[in-house]
Amino acid sequence: MKISIIGTGYVGLVTGACFAEIGHSVTCLDIDSTRIRKLNNASIPFYEPGLERILKKSLEKNQIKFTTNYSLACKNPDAIFVCVGTPSYKSGKPNLKFIKNVIKSLALAINSETVIFLKSTVPVGTTASMERLFKKYLKSKLDIAFASNPEFLKEGSAVNDFKSPDRIIVGTKSKKVQEISKNIFHAFNHQRSRILFTSIESSELIKYAANSFLATKISFMNEIARLADSTSANIDDVRKGMGADPRIGSAFLYSGLGYGGSCFPKDIDGLISSFKDKNLHPSILEAVKTVNSSQHKLYLKKIYDAFSKAKLKNMSIHIWGTSFKPETDDIRDSISIKLIRSLSKDVKKIFIYDPIALKNTKNELIDLQNLVFLRDKYTNIKQSNFLILATEWKEFWDPDIKKLQSLKSKTVIDGRNILNRKHLESSGINYLCIAR
Ligand code: UGA
């Protein structure tokens, strides 16, 4: 089928590349001409495992092309997927300006029947209002359908998530659009159909509710961890015991520094603002947000309890991991970045290491003077007093204990509960964490 994708961020690019790989003829559009030029040479603006390989393959086969030209993207596509960002206003409300611009541009360029799927995360009612906006600008009487198709891929495993979806949600009541959707997603429904057709509004809400529920699981565990920490309960055992109940499930029960990234914080804010728009009070969501925004402060408190502010002033420290989670170079709303900003005021120097995200980190923290970025995680470890592990990259799970023993204060703060406590402590290392 002929498919156009508008927006070449994480969602758009992964969608386009995966559709091209299964044989659809894909045109990806973005208004950023530098990005498009690079993409035509298979140069991807972010790190996502597996994406470059399938993109190169599809470019070689001429299965995918990149353009800034709406006339090209609107040349008889069977479907158009809108995948542009919905950043938040200060109030938390999603800013729909990029989607509105896309809808106007599509209305002015489209000259054949097609279906427009909104993949961007949008508040309930947005797809319907975009359809109204579209009709205002459309000059012809063409029958253009609108549908909602939220995306559930996770950064770091986006390609696999797209190719092996748990579910494909399509918000539409139109039988014709349902048939087109089945054809588009045919290759991902081999063993069983994963498509769930709902109303447009339910589809829009499923995305917000799913992300907010996952964030709720994390904040719930982080709250339980606070009680466990002030008793002798072990949060790892509590997690295993709870997760063994299939009604609870074992995923997303890991307590630590809290959640970050470009989705959970933004989507919680977006959902809260939708409640407020309807004069409803989102008690649970507010609590999820409060727990998450205070979680890293518990770790800071452990540090200030262990070392006085006066002593910290003369200390250097190591921080491992700046991306919001492993297998990505994305540092948006990363808790590690929050920690660095906060500690940079109180310590002499921070040595920072991340396997992939250093370039983005340097750009983000350009205003801080006392940071040193490392190519190797152990460089200058002897000059540091303690180490904070902030992101659970695989290469941090089994550190070289001898090297950690050379930390001046022999202290390791594990922000992700992944290190072997017994092993570290029996090697004379002071291990700080929450609730283990
Ligand atoms: C999230 C959802 O998981 C995807 O389904 C969704 O499509 C995506 O948002 C989106 O809206 O586009 P993502 O932001 O890539 O995906 O990251 P997650 O893997 O969900 O992790 C989010 C944060 O939660 C990370 O900071 C992670 O470290 C933290 N986390 C996760 C925990 O603290 N504990 C856990 O048990 C799990």
Side-chain angles (χ1 to χ4, degrees), residues 92-111:
K93 215 183 178 64
N95 181 342
L96 302 177
K97 68 175 177 190
F98 297 124
I99 299 203
K100 285 182 184 166
N101 290 342
V102 168
I103 295 299
K104 282 183 209 164
S105 306
L106 287 175
L108 298 175
I110 276 177
N111 52 20

Side-chain angles (χ1 to χ4, degrees), residues 11 121 151-155 167 207 211 214 218 222 251-256 258-264 267 324-326 392 416:
V11 172
T121 303
E151 187 46 64
F152 299 98
L153 55 81
K154 304 181 285 298
E155 288 179 27
R167 76 295 208 192
K207 168 69 193 223
N211 270 5
L214 290 171
I218 299 168
N222 282 335
F252 270 71
L253 294 182
Y254 290 89
S255 100
Y259 61 79
S262 67
C263 303
F264 285 178
D267 291 352
F324 83 95
K325 67 172 187 179
E392 66 277 31
R416 295 293 168 184

Side-chain angles (χ1 to χ4, degrees), residues 289-321:
K289 194 176 157 177
T290 306
V291 169
N292 198 59
S293 57
S294 55
Q295 186 68 8
H296 73 285
K297 294 181 188 152
L298 304 181
Y299 289 83
L300 287 173
K301 184 173 180 308
K302 295 237 174 203
I303 293 170
Y304 299 133
D305 286 349
F307 310 100
S308 69
K309 280 221 171 179
K311 278 189 183 152
L312 278 171
K313 274 276 168 242
N314 296 314
M315 288 184 173
S316 296
I317 66 172
H318 264 61
I319 294 197
W320 285 359

Side-chain angles (χ1 to χ4, degrees), residues 51 82 355:
L51 185 57
V82 177

Side-chain angles (χ1 to χ4, degrees), residues 10-76:
Y10 278 97
V11 172
L13 206 48
V14 172
T15 305
C18 291
F19 278 160
E21 195 189 24
I22 58 162
H24 293 318
S25 171
V26 177
T27 303
C28 293
L29 178 143
D30 202 294
I31 50 169
D32 181 341
S33 53
T34 314
R35 178 177 278 233
I36 289 298
R37 207 175 36 250
K38 287 186 178 164
L39 284 169
N40 269 319
N41 292 315
S43 161
I44 298 173
F46 48 82
Y47 174 77
E48 185 58 48
L51 185 57
E52 192 177 273
R53 191 184 57 78
I54 56 170
L55 189 61
K56 271 193 178 144
K57 222 167 60 182
S58 301
L59 276 166
E60 277 162 18
K61 289 186 186 163
N62 237 349
Q63 206 66 40
I64 192 165
K65 51 177 172 285
F66 295 94
T67 183
T68 54
N69 186 338
Y70 268 95
S71 311
L72 210 67
C74 290
K75 228 174 175 183
N76 302 317

Side-chain angles (χ1 to χ4, degrees), residues 415-426:
R416 295 293 168 184
N417 282 354
I418 59 164
L419 299 174
N420 185 328
R421 175 176 199 151
K422 276 191 194 139
H423 194 32
L424 288 176
E425 286 183 343
S426 63

